[in-house]
Amino acid sequence: MAANKNLLMLPGDGIGPEVMRETRRVIEWMAKKRAVSFDVTEDLVGGSAIDAHGIPVTDDTVEKAQKADAVLLGAVGGPKWDNLPFEQKPERGLLRLRKELELFANLRPAVCFPALADASSLKRELVEGLDIMIVRELTGGVYFGTPRGIETLPDGQRRGVNTQVYTTNEIRRVAAVAFELARKRGNRVTSCEKANVMESGVLWREEVQKLHDESYKDVELSHMYADNAAMQLVRAPKQFDVIVTDNLFGDILSDEAAMLTGSLGMLPSASLGAPDATGRRKALYEPVHGSAPDIAGQNAANPIATILSFAMALRYTFDMGDEADLVEKAVKDVLEKGMRTGDIMQKGTAKVSTSVMGDSLILALNNLAA
Ligand code: NAD
């Protein structure tokens, strides 16, 4: 049995615990069939932590997250906690984790499984086989820059201000993540900014290019204005391999790319921090979707986004690419057999529950490993 790998699971609220239960079965399958054991700890975040401790994440949980090799989170939030003041809301727990772990690179793959190509808003031929990775800078830029605020001017008008600001290091560390990912994929990076109208964009372009010339000459680098990237994503999305961009443009481009692939219930993500002395990065893996209160408790949620988030943990934290491939292949097989949760239902397919989707994935894994 390989050395224990430390995983902190934070199921959270709403459908979080339901999708996490099925993910846990995949983790247990790994221990049984691939002799890879995970040392799994479970804890509370979001509304469930508010109910138990009065705050959306405790210091103790943050410390466990700091020590874990990887954190796997379900989703947070729900109507029960909607009327709490902003600072006490479930989402603050997630934001605190991201901040304290200094997770500056957000990875959002947009992969279109052939069986779901017709669920995309684009034509099948444009999206079938799509496999792009958007790397978004997560802790800097206009969402955090100062000065910021709303002020009243002497003439009575109001003025809203936010500041787009990036430093050399902030740009280089996220670009390095993109170049390293590209080396393990199609070896191409497209860096997106608005260097035509923004100084921060000029700096972004120059620093990405410099880092490339110094350390990643083997990777093909191109630069694209972010507005053109938005257009190219719906015109010919398969031209991209890895896209790296700032916090604001990444927010928009990653949501746009996500919708090319079908459903929220299929979309995983990872957020990575700086590497430590051993080269390991702090990491939080989570589905892109929220707690889906409208279907919570009904055994109806699609667990695939969370299971694919675990596959990302296998690939990026635990360096277990073969096992990640297995999980992704099992998802592909189950979809090809016509198994669908409600969110990805199509004509001629069978509607299954969260737990039956889990059963089917375990069966597919067994078949692949046989
Ligand atoms: P949502 O992602 O929870 O749901 C949007 C729609 O997609 C709903 O109709 C839902 O049923 C459906 N859906 C989402 N995930 C699904 C899945 N796995 N399987 C099947 N259907 C799925 O977004 P929302 O409704 O805007 O927000 C609900 C709550 O979640 C709010 O409290 C919000 O603040 C929170 N939220 C949390 C996160 C997070 O934890 N990272 C992200 C977004 C929203």
Side-chain angles (χ1 to χ4, degrees), residues 97-106 138-139 271-274 282-284:
L97 279 169
R98 285 183 185 150
K99 185 164 174 246
E100 299 220 3
L101 271 58
E102 291 179 72
L103 305 171
F104 63 82
N106 183 229
L138 201 58
T139 52
S271 300
L272 306 179
K282 290 220 163 55
L284 183 135

Side-chain angles (χ1 to χ4, degrees), residues 113-115 326-337 361:
F113 290 92
L326 259 184
V327 174
E328 287 163 4
K329 179 81 178 37
V331 169
K332 181 166 172 273
D333 290 354
V334 163
L335 295 174
E336 265 160 22
K337 289 213 167 75
L361 282 163

Side-chain angles (χ1 to χ4, degrees), residues 27-39:
I27 295 170
E28 281 156 13
W29 184 91
M30 289 285 161
K32 247 190 272 164
K33 299 289 173 85
R34 303 287 292 189
V36 195
S37 91
F38 289 88
D39 193 351

Side-chain angles (χ1 to χ4, degrees), residues 15 75-78 91 94 264-265 286 289-295 301-302 343:
I15 61 169
V76 296
E91 289 76 4
L94 178 51
L264 261 178
E286 58 181 323
H289 63 72
S291 58
D294 52 334
I295 56 165
N302 186 349
D343 58 314

